[in-house]
Amino acid sequence: MKKRFRKIITFLLSLTACVSAVSFAGCGGNNTESGNALRIFVNNGNAFDGVEKDRIWQEIEKKTGAEMSFEGLSHSSAYYTKLNPLMNTINNMPDIVFVVPSSEEMGLSSFSDKWTDPNKGLVYNYDELLERYPKGTYPYIEKLLSSEQYKYIMHNNGHYILPNTTSNSSWGIYFRTDWLINIGYYTMVGEEKIARYPVTIDEYTDVIRKFTFNDPDGNGLNDTYGFCPGKGEHYWNPFYSAFGVTPDWDINADGDLEYMYSSAEFKEFLKWANGLYKEGCIYPTFTSNQANAERDLFYQGKTGMLITNAESHVYFIMKKMTAMGKGDKVGFAYPPVGTAKTGKEGACGFSDWGAWWGGFCITKKCRNIPAALKLLDYMLSPEGSDLRTYGIKDVHYTVENGEIIPNVEERLKEGGGKWEEFNVNGAASPVGRYSLGTIFGYPIDWDNYEKDGSIKFKITAKLIDPENEKMVADAMDKVVLNTSKLVNFTAFGSTVVSVMNNTQEKTKAFVNNAIIGKSNLEKDWDDLIKTVKGENNNPQNLLWKKMQTSAKETLTKMGKI
């Protein structure tokens, strides 16, 4: 009897311990000896792996009750080369991981088919996790996932990824202003020539040709090119926007889904780009260039136009150009506008990528789900956003008339590499953002959200790049957005996703080949469309029609059509 009584007491004590643990970490695999330790695999996480925790890091942990350790690499194929083995070995999964579901490196269908499978998936559905706690426990995650901006970023009928918030578009078109003047694109202000940027797609075409053939650098040699894009087809986005192509998937006039690279408008863009390539105006080996080779050509004076990031990367580009004595000869232009002659009249813009780039998943082996949720929620909150961006108030910064004033002396105490550094009086100084905090995206203006429900960001040119504030502000002012009706809409069923992924893979492979003339823009284009859409009710055509029917059902249900 006593033995049985002891067993009952032991069972009750175990049950009590488990129930207590649920309130903090859940029971059955969510607790470990380290309690609230979280392994976080994120972009550039290796920069913080094993680094001594400074005061901001410690304050974040104090506020959230999470002990953070970081892993990862810069975001490239190497990132997934390191992450995938961890995710395929269930006992070695990190607690939180950053991924870009649409990236080619991850695999276009991997996230929807494997990671978010409702039965055997690798990551949790946030909707199901939030249901475990009273409403308002994690208010900023709730607001973000229910906002009009992000609520349709869904996979398998759930929110499996917490968006990493960033610009709708951080693109810019850099020009060598001295080259523009040399080819006759200028206006006179008194006796001074001031560069005039091209406006229409016809003027851009003219500039590209003259940058190639009119000796824009004045060296007497035929050694320049009008343009070198990055090898990714998206580097052409302001040009194909001028032809009326909207980014990614959109709803056409018939109410059907249409992918940008398989649209009739995109074919017209390809003809234009191929024509310039055949003339010798496009750098001949752009499709096989190494990463950032297009920037190197701009630095070297081989091209006079560069399309790339125009927010956080202005610093790197201007540092190079300034060192070469060309810093005062760089400026930004608006994206080209289509005309009745070329493209679609009035069409214009940089692709609107939806103000998010990847996001955070809580894995099925997370040892402390509440700690993970609390950390992510805090990083979104006004208090957490300020802490992870500027540091501790009245220690690392003060606020004067609404402006953030960095305290350099206190920031230096945290050690090198903890802050974004910019030149002040000729010396590098930690006047930028707290580097660890930038991992978690742009800070959201929650006051604005409470007013009208829209998501905007507390981000300024000075915050992004205090050294090149005027240039960044100019680039930001010239961002005209080209937006699909389906921006941030991923809430389709498996049939739709499968066909969409196949279409993207087939058409992306075609783009650069068509520009360089490796693929024919008539026969090969027709064959491509038959490959993705089928014809005459063959199996592929029936699958395409099934996809369109399923997509319309989802779009109707979600109020998009």
Side-chain angles (χ1 to χ4, degrees), residues 147-178:
S147 68
E148 193 63 33
Q149 174 80 351
Y150 299 108
K151 66 181 179 181
Y152 294 121
I153 301 176
M154 301 175 69
H155 301 81
N156 286 310
N157 298 313
H159 293 101
Y160 289 86
I161 187 167
L162 185 69
N164 179 44
T165 54
T166 185
S167 296
N168 289 65
S169 180
S170 59
W171 290 89
I173 305 178
Y174 299 73
F175 268 103
R176 281 286 298 270
T177 54
D178 54 333

Side-chain angles (χ1 to χ4, degrees), residues 110-129:
S110 179
F111 192 74
S112 56
D113 292 349
K114 181 179 179 182
W115 284 55
T116 65
D117 183 279
N119 299 314
K120 299 180 291 185
L122 304 178
V123 297
Y124 280 110
N125 180 346
Y126 280 96
D127 303 325
E128 294 176 357
L129 291 182

Side-chain angles (χ1 to χ4, degrees), residues 53-92:
K53 297 180 180 181
D54 56 39
R55 286 177 288 176
I56 303 98
W57 190 323
Q58 292 173 12
E59 185 68 11
I60 292 171
E61 292 189 334
K62 177 183 174 182
K63 293 288 187 179
T64 63
E67 294 178 11
M68 301 182 293
S69 64
F70 291 90
E71 305 168 43
L73 293 168
S74 61
H75 204 83
S76 63
S77 58
Y79 180 87
Y80 292 103
T81 299
K82 185 173 181 179
L83 174 60
N84 286 333
L86 298 179
M87 296 300 288
N88 289 329
T89 308
I90 195 161
N91 290 326
N92 202 27

